[in-house]
Amino acid sequence: EFGGVMTLGAVDDFTPGSVVEYEEGNFFLVCDEDGGFMAVYRRCPHLGCTIKWEASENRFHCPCHAATFDSHGEFQSQIVSRALDTFPVVFENGMVKVDTSIAQTREHHTQADISYRP
């Protein structure tokens, strides 16, 4: 649950190009087309509202002020001044784990934000 380390499942259980919401952990797990993983915090950095994933648009959306973010959490509207926060993703014995005790603030999305299985 939120505030600790969550084990989500085997690496191979996740479909490349998918976004899965973990409501109890307060994040979305993004599995890139190339197999990298990101855990994107569901909280908007502008007002703290809960963001939603819009699969048909391939983006995150904040219903409080219509801010949008791409699939990596990079902001797309000027009302927000930075990307969505993330949580560390680690791999242990072939399992994907997310540490929700450490929110990582970032200005923009970079390739370094994506975790890859060793």
Side-chain angles (χ1 to χ4, degrees), residues 22-88:
Y22 287 87
E23 193 171 328
E24 68 281 4
N26 210 17
F27 66 90
F28 294 91
L29 186 70
V30 177
C31 181
D32 268 0
E33 292 291 340
D34 64 359
F37 289 86
M38 287 182 63
V40 178
Y41 197 4
R42 293 188 325 154
R43 189 173 146 198
C44 181
H46 181 238
L47 296 175
C49 298
T50 301
I51 61 166
K52 306 291 183 198
W53 173 246
E54 295 180 333
S56 63
E57 301 291 328
N58 198 38
R59 69 180 185 185
F60 295 103
H61 175 258
C62 180
C64 293
H65 54 269
T68 58
F69 306 84
D70 71 13
S71 63
H72 292 110
E74 179 65 44
F75 66 95
Q76 297 178 316
S77 56
Q78 296 305 314
I79 196 161
V80 179
S81 61
R82 65 180 181 84
L84 295 171
D85 295 340
T86 60
F87 294 110

